[in-house]
Structures are given as structure tokens and as C-alpha cells.
Amino acid sequence: MTKRILVFREINDTQLASLRAEFEVDYLPHLTSFDAPEAMEILPQVHGLVGASLKVTPEVLDKAPNLEAIASISVGYDNYPVDELTRRGILLCNTPDVLTETTADTGFLLIMSTARRAIELAEMVRQGRWTQNIGKEWFGSDIHGKTLGMVGMGRIGAAIARRGALGFNMNVLYSMASSKPELEKSLGAQRLELDALLEQADIVCVTVPLTEQTEKLIGAAQFARMKPGAIFVNVARGKVVDEAAMIQALDDGTLHAAGLDVFETEPLPADSPLARMSNVVALPHIGSATHETRTAMAQRAVDNIRLALDGQPALSAVNVDALER
Ligand code: NAP
């Protein structure tokens, strides 16, 4: 029997053709919810799902009794009920590694653009408001030689820390991670409790996954601990931060500036103050959004679903215990 898969995010023609050679494929790259009628019609027959950014709930799984595997085109898997998938014997695969360096580039882009006020100043030029030499009210702050506090020191955290330590001679602190002796040796990184990191870092950068333990990890109390003039960068997930507390801290000057790729609600609502604050650089969740990396992520997902539905070990699986079910 030919297995059926639903692809709910854009992949390239070669990738789609390779899936069509092996499976019956429903291609709905612009699907916005599994509750949409076109998805509801297919779910009862599907054996595999390939895509990203849509919430998969236990109710969605109830509608897909034949589902064997999901290949997410993302490394983060907070959109999936992992325990429930494992209980039902459904394998969940993700795309670690292939997006690490690109997401770290985005993290550093946010560090540099907030510290040097690049977006504000570029807007000034674009709008014809550069009419005299820039005075100190427009100066930014140095990045080189400063202290970078990494909240999370996994693949992406370590790649950002490496850019900071080796490229910008930054002093690297980290918390919310097991000890990393190799990074302590190669980057001079120092492991601290979160509070101590917040008190010492000039730039705090969040790269932890969103889990029950990390939801709203950074709130009013944490912003209050940061140094005057501190910059906050989030390339992880919006819900790791208490967004209302962050807006308040940016507004009252507790926090100097923020560089954000991710938000509590995405797309960011047009009436969010974050879209307009001059000390915020807000990007539309582009951490991994380059041609090369998105192609590599989709390829990893295509390979994962083929292997998983063929009963072979996937390249990167989140819940291998599902196979025991
Ligand atoms: P990773 O290698 O698993 O690193 C996660 C780090 O967070 C590790 O250092 C881990 O500690 C630490 N951590 C702290 N609390 C944790 C908890 N409760 N559960 C799991 N880990 C915890 O992941 P990564 O590849 O660096 O990706 C990190 C996150 O970035 C993803 O989950 C995703 O949400 C986000 N992301 C965003 C974008 C974007 O477009 N903005 C792109 C890619 C990824 P240990 O070192 O002790 O394991």
C-alpha cells in the first residue's frame, strides 16, 4: 500500500517530486490550521505529516488514527504534544544542526543592530533626516570586549558565544545549561546561576527551548536584575519571556534595548508597542530564513519522513521511545 503524507509547508520542486515518487502526497503549503476543511478531509488517511509552525493538538491526532510519523521543518518542537505522540507510537522528527549557524548569525545581527542602533540610524538616512554630523544622542555602545550572557548554551547558544568570544573578544557567561567544559576551555566561557549572569552581562541572549520549565523564564524580576544599559536578545521563542514585563522594562528604561526575532503571538499584532519602540529591533521570525538553510531544513524533513515511514532510523528524532509502542 502506498502511504499518504500531508506536506503543509513549502518545499522545493525536487523535494516534492522525490516524495511523490514514493508516497501519495497532499501538498497544502499555505495551510493555516489543521481545523481547515481541506486538512480535516485528509487527516483520517494520512500516515505522515511534513511541515512547520502549526499547532498539533491531541484533538488533531484523534482525527489522524493512521499517523505514524511527523517530520517538522524546525528544530524547536513546542508545537507538538511530545508525550502524547510517544504514547500513541507516533515518531516526531526535527531538523537540528542544519540551522544552527544561520540562527546564530541572526542572533548576532540582533546584538549588533541593537547595540549600534543600526535600524534607527538607517531610517534617519532613508528619510533624509541626516542633515548634520551625528551627535552623542545617537551614539551606540561597543560590542567588542563586552560581557555576553547566554541563557541556554546548546547548539545555537554555543554558535553565538563562539562569534562573540572569537570574533569580538567578548567575555562569555552562560546559564540554564549543563556544564560545557570544552566551551569553557575554547571560549573562556563561565557557567553561572541565572541571577548572577543577569547582573553581570552587558548583553543577555536567550536560546533555551520553550518548555513548561522555561515559559516566562525572563520576567519583571529578571529585567530588574540586569545592568543599567543592558541589551536583551531573544532568538528562541517569544513565550520564554513575559512580553508585558519586557515592554514595561523597555518603556521605563530598566532595559536599554531589545533585539527580538520571536514573540508571544506571531505574526506580531500590528498594535503591539514592540513594533514601534525606537529601542527595539523586531524581526519577523527569520532565525533560519536563508535560501540555503531553509532548503537544507526541508531536505532533512523529507529524508526523515522517508526513513521513518520505511521503518528505518530517522536522521533526527525527538522521541525514539515512540518506536517501542
Ligand atoms: P539545543 O541544542 O537543545 O540547546 C538548548 C539549550 O537550552 C541547551 O543548552 C539546554 O541545556 C538548555 N535548556 C535549558 N532549559 C532547558 C529545558 N527545560 N529543556 C531543554 N533544554 C533546556 O537547541 P538549539 O538547537 O540550540 O535550539 C534552541 C531553540 O532555539 C529551539 O528550541 C528553538 O525554539 C529556537 N530556535 C529559534 C529559531 C528562530 O527562527 N528564531 C531557529 C532555530 C531554533 P543543556 O545544554 O544542558 O542540554
Side-chain angles (χ1 to χ4, degrees):
M1 182 201 60
T2 305
K3 290 186 175 172
R4 188 164 175 178
I5 61 175
L6 167 58
V7 179
F8 58 95
R9 180 112 180 216
E10 196 168 0
I11 60 175
N12 70 31
D13 292 347
T14 312
Q15 291 164 342
L16 187 56
S18 76
L19 288 177
R20 287 203 158 124
E22 208 170 322
F23 306 108
E24 187 182 337
V25 179
D26 295 280
Y27 187 49
L28 300 176
H30 305 299
L31 190 70
T32 53
S33 160
F34 287 110
D35 292 334
E38 63 270 40
M40 295 283 259
E41 200 183 307
I42 300 163
L43 281 174
Q45 287 96 46
V46 293
H47 301 93
L49 293 174
V50 179
S53 311
L54 295 190
K55 196 101 200 147
V56 173
T57 58
E59 294 71 39
V60 171
L61 298 178
D62 287 342
K63 296 196 180 82
N66 296 307
L67 190 61
E68 295 173 27
I70 302 175
S72 188
I73 309 177
S74 66
V75 65
Y77 44 86
D78 43 286
N79 269 330
Y80 304 93
V82 179
D83 291 345
E84 189 60 30
L85 289 169
T86 306
R87 201 180 63 73
R88 296 178 191 227
I90 300 168
L91 188 70
L92 175 63
C93 308
N94 66 346
T95 63
D97 306 316
V98 292
L99 48 50
T100 297
E101 297 300 328
T102 298
T103 309
D105 287 347
T106 306
F108 230 84
L109 166 71
L110 287 168
I111 291 172
M112 296 192 73
S113 53
T114 44
R116 297 301 305 272
R117 304 175 66 179
I119 308 299
E120 266 182 285
L121 288 161
E123 255 326 278
M124 172 195 281
V125 177
R126 189 193 294 274
Q127 293 169 358
R129 293 187 285 113
W130 181 27
T131 53
Q132 56 186 13
N133 280 346
I134 290 300
K136 66 175 187 304
E137 69 276 19
W138 288 104
F139 290 175
S141 41
D142 279 342
I143 301 154
H144 64 271
K146 292 290 181 73
T147 297
L148 174 62
M150 298 305 308
V151 181
M153 190 67 140
R155 289 170 291 247
I156 295 167
I160 294 174
R162 200 176 67 244
R163 282 159 175 73
L166 305 183
F168 289 77
N169 196 27
M170 295 178 93
N171 172 33
V172 174
L173 310 176
Y174 71 101
S175 67
M176 296 296 293
S178 48
S179 120
K180 312 282 176 200
E182 71 291 357
L183 295 176
E184 294 183 10
K185 197 164 161 222
S186 60
L187 306 182
Q190 189 190 351
R191 185 161 170 253
L192 293 179
E193 290 302 319
L194 179 60
D195 283 351
L197 177 147
L198 296 172
E199 284 160 11
Q200 293 180 36
D202 298 299
I203 296 163
V204 173
C205 181
V206 176
T207 63
V208 286
L210 173 62
T211 65
E212 274 174 23
Q213 295 78 44
T214 63
E215 188 163 358
K216 297 208 170 159
L217 176 72
I218 308 290
Q222 287 67 37
F223 288 120
R225 277 191 185 273
M226 291 184 198
K227 278 168 111 168
I231 290 175
F232 178 71
V233 168
N234 186 4
V235 285
R237 286 289 183 265
K239 288 183 177 152
V240 172
V241 178
D242 179 339
E243 205 165 89
M246 179 174 65
I247 291 168
Q248 179 63 42
L250 284 161
D251 209 33
D252 66 20
T254 311
L255 189 57
H256 181 63
L260 309 168
D261 188 43
V262 287
F263 303 88
E264 220 168 76
T265 304
E266 296 181 7
L268 183 66
D271 62 356
S272 168
L274 294 172
R276 281 181 306 283
M277 295 174 111
S278 59
N279 54 348
V280 171
V281 175
L283 296 177
H285 201 148
I286 58 156
S288 63
T290 65
H291 293 292
E292 299 90 333
T293 295
R294 284 290 170 84
T295 301
M297 289 165 69
Q299 188 60 48
R300 172 67 71 91
V302 164
D303 293 341
N304 274 335
I305 202 76
R306 289 169 73 185
L307 290 164
L309 293 183
D310 278 355
Q312 297 179 57
L315 299 176
S316 36
V318 172
N319 63 340
V320 273
D321 340 352
L323 300 176
E324 287 157 22
R325 302 286 164 141

